[in-house]
Amino acid sequence: MERLKLVLQYFQSNSESISNGICIVLALVSVKLYTSFDFNCPCLPQYNKLYSLGVMVVPPIVLFFLGVLVNRHTGVMMDEWMRPTGKRSKNPAVVKYLFSAMIQRALLAPVVWVLVTLLDGKIFICAFSSVRYRTVCPVYTGYMCEIGLLFGVPNNTGLDVMKIMAKVPCKEAVIFRNSSFHKAVSRYIRCYSQAVGWSILLFLIVLGALGRVLKPCFDDHATFLQTRYWSNYLDVEQKLFDETCVLHARDFARTCVVQFFEDMREDVELCSPHPQFIKHFTDDWEYKEEERLHGITKQEQMNNLLQKWYFSKPELDVTKGASRPRMCGTCKEERANLPF
Amino acid sequence: MDKLRMMFQFLQSNQESFMNGICGIMALASAQMYSAFEFSCPCIPEYNYSYGIGLLIIPPIWFFLLGFVLNNNVSVLAEEWRRPTGKRTKDPSILRYMFCSITQRSLIAPAVWVSVTLMDGKSFLCAFSINLDVDKFGNYSLIKGMSETEKIKLLAKIPCKDLFEHQEVRVAASRYIKCISQACGWMFLLMMTFTAFLIRAIRPCFTQAAFLKTKYWSHYIDIERKIFDETCKEHAKSFAKVCIYQYFENISGEMRNLHHHSSKDDSDYEDDDKRRNEEDKLLGIRVQDDMNKALCNWHICKPALALRKEQKNGENNDKLHREGGGAVNGLANGHTHNVEKKEWAVYYSKV
């Protein structure tokens, strides 16, 4: 329990960790989905390939869209991309960074699905068990037919080779009852499928490693640090804005309700002759209330504030007239290039 | 047990995860109900289709309505829709936003049911076994010489293992229909995910400024209602306390007169202080009719969204405003103080 809490706390510590955590959860969901999915090869020549292709392609697309949906950075990126420039200039490098981070994370679950299907092998067996209709083993489509002949197609039923091969994924077919033909073919095809799966995995890992190792040679690390900082900043800023709006709404509501009751009390006092008790309260809560509302006390003011937040975000400059921090020489040229 | 408790605590930590938690629980309940449900196709030509398709469509409708019932925001939406305009104008975009958010959450459980049903394939098999072309699966001899109705009766028995003798044909046919059903299921999932993707990822291109506004005000309406309820509860409590104090005072006054007892002692002064505290909390509303009027006014004529600025000098009238307000704020504060200490404050009507 404690370990789980620690893990959860670690993942919630910053927004990148949250995104990574969600990405991993989605990959696990993808594996679970595959194991609970009841793979059902139709065992008919015309439909085998189509079915296998469908199962290999459509779930990854669904998982990809899901990955994009649950990622918080999607919203931040779209906001930054679509907002009017206003007082704050736009930096396309930040948008590109967010986009690439989002795509990389969203691609993990589909890749996991594809790898799991290949390592399991059922889809390959289903797909490659149907051959085009030809007479026995012409040169053109010889491959699968040769496999069939290699393992000794049970040809006693009079069905042609094509239909027999199409039934290989279906273990309960009557024609296979007395032979181990279908087991042999399945093993052979599964072996191929696993080889393809492991190769793809190896290729992806090598690609990732190369990318990581060679990146500093091509990218400017200083610029990279800046874009990473500002994309994290945008994320945090959006979160804080939402939180501030939530807290402001709470204070607004509380003050509104209080004033409503006061208005009712005034009406009551006008009618009743009883003197009211006077208590001595400090001004503290009153002052705190006003502070929390930041002077926004009307609907139109709030609407204007929200409008302005979108159309004209404030400058990224919070110095209060005090001296700005001095920069080193090399960074000054960088700063000239940077729009912020 | 411990794990369950921790999960509940995590889910209740903020309102948004609570709503998502309810969504997730309903989705799991939907999947669990399907697996617990014993599907039994009638295997009769006239009823197969209705049973199969009915099972695909009616439980999702039920889950959708259940989602509406379990969602707290439905009553907030209804109240905001039906209230008289009064001093506060109504904004239809806020109503639309709330309705969309409620509908999106309620659609998850039905979508899970439809996907699981289609992936399993039994309902399609039941509904469409009659339309099969049997020669594809093997012996044409099976149906040779049969009349139309007999052929249909035979085909209708395919979903039932114990009623159909030719196992191979049955297995081949059910594989075929299941394959089509799974294809439909994946297409359905793809369509739903793509639609959700369009709504979420592409929406900021169009209406972001208006969206910020509606998000803020729909959350505001929700929380205003909650704070009003809390204030009323506290008021009712103080009302009751004062009522009871006064009753006991009357009785003890009568008793004193009866027994010629002398005046109060020290403990009574403390009680007096407490009682004055409670009376202040009443905010001047001390009669049933006044309270009824206040509650009625809250619905018929909600106050305008324009707060008064309080005066800071110490005149009597203003003091009255402030202190009365302070008492109420003190009550509300007692409940909402701990909110500021929390790290994450999020919208709970967030799309």
Side-chain angles (χ1 to χ4, degrees), chain A residues 1 38 40-41 51 78-79 172 174 245 248 254 259 262-263 265-266 277 279 285-286 297-299 303, chain B residues 3 168 175 178 182 201 208 213 216-217 279-280 283 305-308 310 321 323-326 329 336 347:
Chain A
M1 256 322 80
D38 186 11
N40 177 68
C41 195
Y51 182 80
M78 292 302 292
D79 276 347
E172 63 275 343
V174 174
C245 279
H248 187 278
R254 198 188 303 139
Q259 286 183 358
E262 284 177 3
D263 289 344
R265 194 228 292 252
E266 271 171 23
F277 287 102
K279 270 228 108 175
W285 77 267
E286 170 81 18
T297 51
K298 283 192 165 50
Q299 186 180 20
N303 285 344
Chain B
K3 264 187 235 176
E168 186 165 332
R175 268 183 185 264
K178 201 165 170 181
Q182 283 181 345
Q208 185 65 355
K213 201 173 73 156
Y216 179 88
W217 288 116
E279 291 198 355
D280 283 330
L283 309 169
L305 288 163
L307 306 175
R308 292 193 306 272
E310 306 288 352
H321 283 298
E323 283 139 10
N329 199 47
T336 55
Y347 288 108

Tab-separated table of all heavy atoms in Angstrom, chain A residues 1 38 40-41 51 78-79 172 174 245 248 254 259 262-263 265-266 277 279 285-286 297-299 303, chain B residues 3 168 175 178 182 201 208 213 216-217 279-280 283 305-308 310 321 323-326 329 336 347:
chain	number	residue	atom	x	y	z
A	1	MET	N	0.837	-1.200	0.000
A	1	MET	CA	0.000	0.000	0.000
A	1	MET	C	0.868	1.246	0.000
A	1	MET	O	0.642	2.191	-0.739
A	1	MET	CB	-0.869	0.021	1.252
A	1	MET	CG	-2.308	-0.331	1.075
A	1	MET	SD	-3.212	0.180	-0.348
A	1	MET	CE	-2.832	-0.886	-1.642
A	38	ASP	N	-11.360	-11.906	-28.015
A	38	ASP	CA	-11.545	-13.276	-28.476
A	38	ASP	C	-11.257	-13.316	-29.965
A	38	ASP	O	-12.114	-12.996	-30.792
A	38	ASP	CB	-12.997	-13.664	-28.174
A	38	ASP	CG	-13.248	-15.110	-28.474
A	38	ASP	OD1	-12.257	-15.836	-28.706
A	38	ASP	OD2	-14.404	-15.504	-28.474
A	40	ASN	N	-10.979	-14.446	-33.547
A	40	ASN	CA	-11.900	-15.376	-34.182
A	40	ASN	C	-11.677	-15.383	-35.687
A	40	ASN	O	-12.320	-14.649	-36.427
A	40	ASN	CB	-13.304	-14.893	-33.819
A	40	ASN	CG	-14.378	-15.701	-34.457
A	40	ASN	OD1	-14.546	-16.854	-34.119
A	40	ASN	ND2	-15.098	-15.110	-35.386
A	41	CYS	N	-10.741	-16.193	-36.144
A	41	CYS	CA	-10.427	-16.218	-37.571
A	41	CYS	C	-11.593	-16.852	-38.317
A	41	CYS	O	-12.073	-17.908	-37.922
A	41	CYS	CB	-9.164	-17.046	-37.775
A	41	CYS	SG	-8.426	-16.838	-39.375
A	51	TYR	N	-9.691	-9.927	-42.321
A	51	TYR	CA	-9.896	-9.921	-40.876
A	51	TYR	C	-8.581	-9.641	-40.153
A	51	TYR	O	-8.509	-8.806	-39.247
A	51	TYR	CB	-10.472	-11.264	-40.440
A	51	TYR	CG	-10.779	-11.360	-38.976
A	51	TYR	CD1	-11.939	-10.818	-38.438
A	51	TYR	CD2	-9.898	-12.000	-38.106
A	51	TYR	CE1	-12.220	-10.903	-37.089
A	51	TYR	CE2	-10.175	-12.091	-36.757
A	51	TYR	CZ	-11.336	-11.543	-36.257
A	51	TYR	OH	-11.601	-11.631	-34.913
A	78	MET	N	-2.658	22.939	-28.425
A	78	MET	CA	-3.663	23.554	-29.285
A	78	MET	C	-3.931	24.991	-28.864
A	78	MET	O	-4.065	25.885	-29.705
A	78	MET	CB	-4.975	22.757	-29.237
A	78	MET	CG	-4.909	21.392	-29.864
A	78	MET	SD	-4.414	21.404	-31.570
A	78	MET	CE	-5.808	22.183	-32.325
A	79	ASP	N	-3.976	25.224	-27.537
A	79	ASP	CA	-4.200	26.589	-27.046
A	79	ASP	C	-3.104	27.524	-27.520
A	79	ASP	O	-3.357	28.622	-28.002
A	79	ASP	CB	-4.214	26.593	-25.514
A	79	ASP	CG	-5.569	26.235	-24.979
A	79	ASP	OD1	-6.522	26.237	-25.774
A	79	ASP	OD2	-5.677	25.953	-23.779
A	172	GLU	N	-10.645	-27.052	-34.867
A	172	GLU	CA	-11.654	-28.087	-34.706
A	172	GLU	C	-12.179	-28.598	-36.042
A	172	GLU	O	-13.111	-29.380	-36.066
A	172	GLU	CB	-12.824	-27.544	-33.870
A	172	GLU	CG	-13.562	-26.400	-34.501
A	172	GLU	CD	-12.920	-25.063	-34.211
A	172	GLU	OE1	-12.101	-24.985	-33.281
A	172	GLU	OE2	-13.219	-24.107	-34.918
A	174	VAL	N	-12.894	-30.749	-39.172
A	174	VAL	CA	-12.922	-32.213	-39.218
A	174	VAL	C	-11.744	-32.781	-39.989
A	174	VAL	O	-11.184	-33.823	-39.642
A	174	VAL	CB	-14.244	-32.674	-39.873
A	174	VAL	CG1	-14.247	-34.167	-40.072
A	174	VAL	CG2	-15.395	-32.249	-39.012
A	245	CYS	N	-9.216	30.483	-11.095
A	245	CYS	CA	-10.621	30.722	-11.451
A	245	CYS	C	-11.541	29.952	-10.516
A	245	CYS	O	-12.580	30.475	-10.092
A	245	CYS	CB	-10.894	30.259	-12.890
A	245	CYS	SG	-10.369	31.446	-14.109
A	248	HIS	N	-11.572	31.679	-7.199
A	248	HIS	CA	-12.269	32.952	-7.327
A	248	HIS	C	-13.771	32.733	-7.377
A	248	HIS	O	-14.540	33.464	-6.738
A	248	HIS	CB	-11.804	33.676	-8.593
A	248	HIS	CG	-12.350	35.049	-8.714
A	248	HIS	ND1	-13.610	35.316	-9.208
A	248	HIS	CD2	-11.839	36.243	-8.363
A	248	HIS	CE1	-13.827	36.613	-9.180
A	248	HIS	NE2	-12.771	37.192	-8.674
A	254	ARG	N	-19.537	32.879	-2.388
A	254	ARG	CA	-19.743	33.082	-0.963
A	254	ARG	C	-20.182	34.515	-0.677
A	254	ARG	O	-21.140	34.755	0.048
A	254	ARG	CB	-18.450	32.780	-0.206
A	254	ARG	CG	-18.699	32.539	1.260
A	254	ARG	CD	-17.426	32.429	2.013
A	254	ARG	NE	-16.581	31.386	1.502
A	254	ARG	CZ	-15.268	31.502	1.355
A	254	ARG	NH1	-14.665	32.610	1.688
A	254	ARG	NH2	-14.557	30.500	0.886
A	259	GLN	N	-24.253	38.577	0.715
A	259	GLN	CA	-24.935	39.841	0.437
A	259	GLN	C	-26.421	39.625	0.211
A	259	GLN	O	-27.238	40.480	0.542
A	259	GLN	CB	-24.306	40.514	-0.774
A	259	GLN	CG	-22.958	41.100	-0.418
A	259	GLN	CD	-22.326	41.846	-1.573
A	259	GLN	OE1	-22.888	41.881	-2.663
A	259	GLN	NE2	-21.173	42.422	-1.331
A	262	GLU	N	-27.907	39.521	3.547
A	262	GLU	CA	-27.931	40.871	4.125
A	262	GLU	C	-29.077	41.683	3.554
A	262	GLU	O	-29.756	42.414	4.276
A	262	GLU	CB	-26.613	41.582	3.833
A	262	GLU	CG	-25.488	41.097	4.712
A	262	GLU	CD	-24.191	41.766	4.348
A	262	GLU	OE1	-24.196	42.630	3.452
A	262	GLU	OE2	-23.181	41.417	4.958
A	263	ASP	N	-29.277	41.557	2.245
A	263	ASP	CA	-30.389	42.291	1.638
A	263	ASP	C	-31.712	41.858	2.237
A	263	ASP	O	-32.583	42.682	2.515
A	263	ASP	CB	-30.422	42.052	0.126
A	263	ASP	CG	-29.265	42.744	-0.562
A	263	ASP	OD1	-28.659	43.620	0.079
A	263	ASP	OD2	-28.983	42.407	-1.723
A	265	ARG	N	-32.091	40.707	5.156
A	265	ARG	CA	-32.155	41.191	6.531
A	265	ARG	C	-32.590	42.649	6.563
A	265	ARG	O	-33.353	43.055	7.407
A	265	ARG	CB	-30.776	41.049	7.183
A	265	ARG	CG	-30.837	41.209	8.651
A	265	ARG	CD	-29.837	42.123	9.252
A	265	ARG	NE	-28.488	41.700	9.205
A	265	ARG	CZ	-27.797	41.274	10.262
A	265	ARG	NH1	-28.389	41.140	11.414
A	265	ARG	NH2	-26.544	40.969	10.151
A	266	GLU	N	-32.109	43.430	5.564
A	266	GLU	CA	-32.512	44.838	5.511
A	266	GLU	C	-34.008	44.947	5.358
A	266	GLU	O	-34.652	45.746	6.026
A	266	GLU	CB	-31.844	45.545	4.334
A	266	GLU	CG	-30.509	46.129	4.688
A	266	GLU	CD	-29.785	46.621	3.436
A	266	GLU	OE1	-30.475	46.896	2.452
A	266	GLU	OE2	-28.560	46.697	3.489
A	277	PHE	N	-28.669	42.775	17.589
A	277	PHE	CA	-27.453	42.674	18.389
A	277	PHE	C	-26.274	43.138	17.570
A	277	PHE	O	-26.158	42.839	16.400
A	277	PHE	CB	-27.221	41.217	18.798
A	277	PHE	CG	-28.168	40.774	19.850
A	277	PHE	CD1	-29.261	39.987	19.522
A	277	PHE	CD2	-27.998	41.159	21.165
A	277	PHE	CE1	-30.145	39.575	20.489
A	277	PHE	CE2	-28.887	40.752	22.136
A	277	PHE	CZ	-29.962	39.963	21.798
A	279	LYS	N	-22.273	42.971	17.238
A	279	LYS	CA	-21.088	42.278	17.747
A	279	LYS	C	-19.858	42.932	17.183
A	279	LYS	O	-19.896	43.515	16.111
A	279	LYS	CB	-21.139	40.813	17.304
A	279	LYS	CG	-21.842	39.944	18.286
A	279	LYS	CD	-21.065	38.708	18.577
A	279	LYS	CE	-20.436	38.600	19.884
A	279	LYS	NZ	-19.819	37.365	20.134
A	285	TRP	N	-11.386	39.446	8.173
A	285	TRP	CA	-11.989	38.586	7.159
A	285	TRP	C	-12.471	39.423	5.990
A	285	TRP	O	-12.413	39.019	4.848
A	285	TRP	CB	-13.132	37.765	7.773
A	285	TRP	CG	-14.361	38.555	7.958
A	285	TRP	CD1	-14.732	39.223	9.079
A	285	TRP	CD2	-15.345	38.844	6.967
A	285	TRP	NE1	-15.900	39.879	8.856
A	285	TRP	CE2	-16.308	39.688	7.580
A	285	TRP	CE3	-15.533	38.478	5.620
A	285	TRP	CZ2	-17.420	40.153	6.895
A	285	TRP	CZ3	-16.636	38.951	4.948
A	285	TRP	CH2	-17.576	39.796	5.587
A	286	GLU	N	-12.963	40.595	6.296
A	286	GLU	CA	-13.481	41.496	5.276
A	286	GLU	C	-12.385	41.842	4.282
A	286	GLU	O	-12.556	41.745	3.078
A	286	GLU	CB	-13.977	42.758	5.992
A	286	GLU	CG	-14.317	43.888	5.093
A	286	GLU	CD	-15.682	43.750	4.484
A	286	GLU	OE1	-16.477	42.966	5.028
A	286	GLU	OE2	-15.938	44.383	3.478
A	297	THR	N	-15.822	42.095	-9.088
A	297	THR	CA	-17.047	41.915	-8.334
A	297	THR	C	-18.283	41.907	-9.212
A	297	THR	O	-19.387	41.876	-8.708
A	297	THR	CB	-17.207	43.048	-7.311
A	297	THR	OG1	-17.047	44.281	-8.009
A	297	THR	CG2	-16.167	42.942	-6.230
A	298	LYS	N	-18.117	41.997	-10.540
A	298	LYS	CA	-19.292	42.024	-11.410
A	298	LYS	C	-19.125	40.994	-12.519
A	298	LYS	O	-18.012	40.655	-12.912
A	298	LYS	CB	-19.432	43.396	-12.054
A	298	LYS	CG	-19.987	44.476	-11.163
A	298	LYS	CD	-20.333	45.673	-12.040
A	298	LYS	CE	-21.214	46.667	-11.338
A	298	LYS	NZ	-20.816	47.100	-10.033
A	299	GLN	N	-20.309	40.578	-13.052
A	299	GLN	CA	-20.288	39.565	-14.100
A	299	GLN	C	-19.512	40.066	-15.322
A	299	GLN	O	-18.715	39.340	-15.904
A	299	GLN	CB	-21.720	39.236	-14.499
A	299	GLN	CG	-21.809	38.094	-15.480
A	299	GLN	CD	-23.247	37.786	-15.848
A	299	GLN	OE1	-24.125	38.610	-15.682
A	299	GLN	NE2	-23.474	36.587	-16.351
A	303	ASN	N	-16.286	38.464	-17.218
A	303	ASN	CA	-16.298	38.098	-18.630
A	303	ASN	C	-15.174	38.782	-19.378
A	303	ASN	O	-14.507	38.183	-20.220
A	303	ASN	CB	-17.639	38.468	-19.257
A	303	ASN	CG	-18.734	37.506	-18.846
A	303	ASN	OD1	-18.451	36.426	-18.350
A	303	ASN	ND2	-19.972	37.903	-19.046
B	3	LYS	N	-7.371	-1.612	0.036
B	3	LYS	CA	-7.147	-1.052	-1.297
B	3	LYS	C	-8.371	-0.292	-1.757
B	3	LYS	O	-8.270	0.781	-2.340
B	3	LYS	CB	-6.867	-2.195	-2.287
B	3	LYS	CG	-5.399	-2.455	-2.512
B	3	LYS	CD	-5.196	-3.474	-3.616
B	3	LYS	CE	-4.341	-4.601	-3.072
B	3	LYS	NZ	-4.150	-5.690	-3.981
B	168	GLU	N	-20.066	-29.054	-37.424
B	168	GLU	CA	-19.060	-28.326	-38.196
B	168	GLU	C	-19.667	-27.129	-38.889
B	168	GLU	O	-19.082	-26.036	-38.905
B	168	GLU	CB	-18.423	-29.263	-39.225
B	168	GLU	CG	-17.281	-28.555	-39.913
B	168	GLU	CD	-16.385	-29.518	-40.655
B	168	GLU	OE1	-16.303	-30.697	-40.229
B	168	GLU	OE2	-15.793	-29.105	-41.651
B	175	ARG	N	-18.438	-18.754	-36.592
B	175	ARG	CA	-17.191	-18.010	-36.779
B	175	ARG	C	-17.378	-16.858	-37.751
B	175	ARG	O	-16.900	-15.741	-37.535
B	175	ARG	CB	-16.112	-18.930	-37.349
B	175	ARG	CG	-15.288	-19.579	-36.325
B	175	ARG	CD	-14.209	-20.417	-36.952
B	175	ARG	NE	-13.510	-21.117	-35.920
B	175	ARG	CZ	-12.382	-20.693	-35.370
B	175	ARG	NH1	-11.847	-19.567	-35.786
B	175	ARG	NH2	-11.810	-21.388	-34.417
B	178	LYS	N	-19.477	-14.105	-36.271
B	178	LYS	CA	-18.737	-13.439	-35.195
B	178	LYS	C	-17.681	-12.506	-35.781
B	178	LYS	O	-17.446	-11.405	-35.268
B	178	LYS	CB	-18.062	-14.504	-34.341
B	178	LYS	CG	-17.707	-14.048	-32.982
B	178	LYS	CD	-17.393	-15.247	-32.112
B	178	LYS	CE	-16.791	-14.761	-30.823
B	178	LYS	NZ	-16.421	-15.817	-29.929
B	182	GLN	N	-17.401	-8.634	-34.955
B	182	GLN	CA	-16.214	-7.983	-34.409
B	182	GLN	C	-15.768	-6.833	-35.283
B	182	GLN	O	-15.326	-5.784	-34.779
B	182	GLN	CB	-15.078	-8.997	-34.267
B	182	GLN	CG	-15.258	-9.883	-33.070
B	182	GLN	CD	-14.141	-10.885	-32.904
B	182	GLN	OE1	-13.364	-11.109	-33.817
B	182	GLN	NE2	-14.084	-11.484	-31.746
B	201	ALA	N	-9.779	17.748	-29.470
B	201	ALA	CA	-8.530	18.315	-29.958
B	201	ALA	C	-8.763	19.460	-30.923
B	201	ALA	O	-7.917	20.343	-31.049
B	201	ALA	CB	-7.693	17.224	-30.633
B	208	GLN	N	-12.486	29.057	-28.185
B	208	GLN	CA	-11.791	28.977	-26.905
B	208	GLN	C	-12.190	30.088	-25.941
B	208	GLN	O	-12.379	29.850	-24.763
B	208	GLN	CB	-10.270	29.027	-27.163
B	208	GLN	CG	-9.442	28.828	-25.936
B	208	GLN	CD	-9.594	27.473	-25.329
B	208	GLN	OE1	-10.401	26.657	-25.759
B	208	GLN	NE2	-8.858	27.207	-24.289
B	213	LYS	N	-15.309	31.245	-20.697
B	213	LYS	CA	-16.388	31.924	-19.988
B	213	LYS	C	-17.432	30.924	-19.491
B	213	LYS	O	-17.806	30.942	-18.318
B	213	LYS	CB	-17.024	32.916	-20.964
B	213	LYS	CG	-17.799	34.027	-20.304
B	213	LYS	CD	-18.237	35.040	-21.319
B	213	LYS	CE	-19.354	34.498	-22.160
B	213	LYS	NZ	-20.189	35.529	-22.761
B	216	TYR	N	-16.240	28.780	-16.577
B	216	TYR	CA	-16.204	29.475	-15.299
B	216	TYR	C	-17.581	29.612	-14.703
B	216	TYR	O	-17.810	29.296	-13.533
B	216	TYR	CB	-15.575	30.861	-15.473
B	216	TYR	CG	-15.526	31.676	-14.204
B	216	TYR	CD1	-14.452	31.568	-13.332
B	216	TYR	CD2	-16.560	32.536	-13.858
B	216	TYR	CE1	-14.400	32.298	-12.155
B	216	TYR	CE2	-16.518	33.268	-12.688
B	216	TYR	CZ	-15.441	33.149	-11.842
B	216	TYR	OH	-15.398	33.863	-10.681
B	217	TRP	N	-18.562	30.090	-15.526
B	217	TRP	CA	-19.875	30.375	-14.945
B	217	TRP	C	-20.652	29.111	-14.619
B	217	TRP	O	-21.444	29.098	-13.673
B	217	TRP	CB	-20.688	31.291	-15.854
B	217	TRP	CG	-20.157	32.688	-15.843
B	217	TRP	CD1	-19.613	33.366	-16.884
B	217	TRP	CD2	-20.072	33.572	-14.718
B	217	TRP	NE1	-19.201	34.609	-16.489
B	217	TRP	CE2	-19.467	34.765	-15.170
B	217	TRP	CE3	-20.427	33.473	-13.372
B	217	TRP	CZ2	-19.231	35.854	-14.324
B	217	TRP	CZ3	-20.189	34.561	-12.530
B	217	TRP	CH2	-19.607	35.725	-13.022
B	279	GLU	N	-27.698	33.856	18.054
B	279	GLU	CA	-28.698	34.770	17.512
B	279	GLU	C	-28.123	35.631	16.403
B	279	GLU	O	-28.812	35.977	15.459
B	279	GLU	CB	-29.276	35.625	18.638
B	279	GLU	CG	-30.121	34.787	19.560
B	279	GLU	CD	-31.049	35.614	20.409
B	279	GLU	OE1	-30.959	36.846	20.348
B	279	GLU	OE2	-31.857	35.006	21.131
B	280	ASP	N	-26.844	35.938	16.531
B	280	ASP	CA	-26.219	36.701	15.454
B	280	ASP	C	-26.167	35.891	14.175
B	280	ASP	O	-26.320	36.430	13.082
B	280	ASP	CB	-24.801	37.100	15.845
B	280	ASP	CG	-24.828	38.252	16.806
B	280	ASP	OD1	-25.779	39.056	16.725
B	280	ASP	OD2	-23.908	38.349	17.630
B	283	LEU	N	-28.749	36.155	11.337
B	283	LEU	CA	-28.760	37.198	10.319
B	283	LEU	C	-30.078	37.960	10.283
B	283	LEU	O	-30.506	38.428	9.240
B	283	LEU	CB	-28.522	36.601	8.928
B	283	LEU	CG	-27.307	35.706	8.824
B	283	LEU	CD1	-27.342	34.989	7.498
B	283	LEU	CD2	-26.039	36.524	8.903
B	305	LEU	N	-25.199	39.409	-10.529
B	305	LEU	CA	-23.791	39.052	-10.322
B	305	LEU	C	-22.968	40.321	-10.264
B	305	LEU	O	-22.123	40.604	-11.103
B	305	LEU	CB	-23.330	38.139	-11.459
B	305	LEU	CG	-23.928	36.746	-11.371
B	305	LEU	CD1	-23.788	36.036	-12.679
B	305	LEU	CD2	-23.242	35.959	-10.273
B	306	ALA	N	-23.244	41.119	-9.214
B	306	ALA	CA	-22.517	42.384	-9.068
B	306	ALA	C	-22.419	42.660	-7.588
B	306	ALA	O	-23.383	43.079	-6.962
B	306	ALA	CB	-23.271	43.507	-9.785
B	307	LEU	N	-21.248	42.400	-7.007
B	307	LEU	CA	-21.108	42.519	-5.564
B	307	LEU	C	-20.938	43.966	-5.174
B	307	LEU	O	-20.293	44.741	-5.880
B	307	LEU	CB	-19.898	41.718	-5.104
B	307	LEU	CG	-19.911	40.265	-5.545
B	307	LEU	CD1	-18.619	39.603	-5.132
B	307	LEU	CD2	-21.077	39.540	-4.919
B	308	ARG	N	-21.470	44.306	-3.965
B	308	ARG	CA	-21.281	45.659	-3.455
B	308	ARG	C	-19.905	45.739	-2.849
B	308	ARG	O	-19.418	44.776	-2.281
B	308	ARG	CB	-22.296	45.938	-2.354
B	308	ARG	CG	-23.718	46.021	-2.810
B	308	ARG	CD	-24.545	46.617	-1.686
B	308	ARG	NE	-24.360	45.866	-0.447
B	308	ARG	CZ	-25.079	44.812	-0.120
B	308	ARG	NH1	-25.992	44.351	-0.953
B	308	ARG	NH2	-24.870	44.192	1.023
B	310	GLU	N	-17.784	46.927	0.201
B	310	GLU	CA	-18.099	47.274	1.585
B	310	GLU	C	-17.321	48.503	1.984
B	310	GLU	O	-16.172	48.679	1.616
B	310	GLU	CB	-17.731	46.113	2.506
B	310	GLU	CG	-18.351	44.795	2.108
B	310	GLU	CD	-19.836	44.763	2.381
B	310	GLU	OE1	-20.357	45.693	3.016
B	310	GLU	OE2	-20.476	43.806	1.945
B	321	HIS	N	-23.733	45.676	8.552
B	321	HIS	CA	-23.528	44.891	7.327
B	321	HIS	C	-22.381	43.929	7.503
B	321	HIS	O	-22.470	42.750	7.263
B	321	HIS	CB	-23.177	45.811	6.161
B	321	HIS	CG	-24.360	46.526	5.610
B	321	HIS	ND1	-25.426	45.881	5.044
B	321	HIS	CD2	-24.638	47.835	5.531
B	321	HIS	CE1	-26.319	46.768	4.640
B	321	HIS	NE2	-25.863	47.967	4.926
B	323	GLU	N	-20.723	42.943	10.165
B	323	GLU	CA	-20.736	41.920	11.199
B	323	GLU	C	-21.695	40.815	10.853
B	323	GLU	O	-21.412	39.657	11.045
B	323	GLU	CB	-21.112	42.533	12.547
B	323	GLU	CG	-19.940	43.278	13.139
B	323	GLU	CD	-20.364	44.574	13.773
B	323	GLU	OE1	-21.582	44.775	13.912
B	323	GLU	OE2	-19.502	45.370	14.103
B	324	GLY	N	-22.842	41.245	10.288
B	324	GLY	CA	-23.779	40.201	9.871
B	324	GLY	C	-23.141	39.329	8.815
B	324	GLY	O	-23.153	38.112	8.889
B	325	GLY	N	-22.493	40.063	7.848
B	325	GLY	CA	-21.813	39.304	6.805
B	325	GLY	C	-20.720	38.432	7.395
B	325	GLY	O	-20.508	37.308	6.986
B	326	GLY	N	-20.063	39.018	8.429
B	326	GLY	CA	-18.943	38.283	9.014
B	326	GLY	C	-19.411	36.997	9.660
B	326	GLY	O	-18.782	35.965	9.564
B	329	ASN	N	-20.071	34.641	6.972
B	329	ASN	CA	-18.816	34.201	6.384
B	329	ASN	C	-18.097	33.252	7.324
B	329	ASN	O	-17.459	32.305	6.905
B	329	ASN	CB	-17.926	35.402	6.095
B	329	ASN	CG	-16.860	35.035	5.095
B	329	ASN	OD1	-17.155	34.426	4.092
B	329	ASN	ND2	-15.634	35.363	5.401
B	336	THR	N	-15.412	25.808	4.399
B	336	THR	CA	-14.623	25.848	3.167
B	336	THR	C	-13.168	26.199	3.409
B	336	THR	O	-12.413	26.326	2.498
B	336	THR	CB	-15.194	26.877	2.185
B	336	THR	OG1	-15.252	28.127	2.858
B	336	THR	CG2	-16.575	26.470	1.750
B	347	TYR	N	-12.072	22.284	-11.765
B	347	TYR	CA	-13.454	22.360	-12.166
B	347	TYR	C	-14.049	20.970	-12.123
B	347	TYR	O	-13.431	20.029	-12.569
B	347	TYR	CB	-13.571	22.833	-13.606
B	347	TYR	CG	-13.239	24.276	-13.800
B	347	TYR	CD1	-12.068	24.658	-14.434
B	347	TYR	CD2	-14.107	25.276	-13.384
B	347	TYR	CE1	-11.776	25.981	-14.639
B	347	TYR	CE2	-13.811	26.593	-13.576
B	347	TYR	CZ	-12.654	26.942	-14.204
B	347	TYR	OH	-12.355	28.245	-14.416
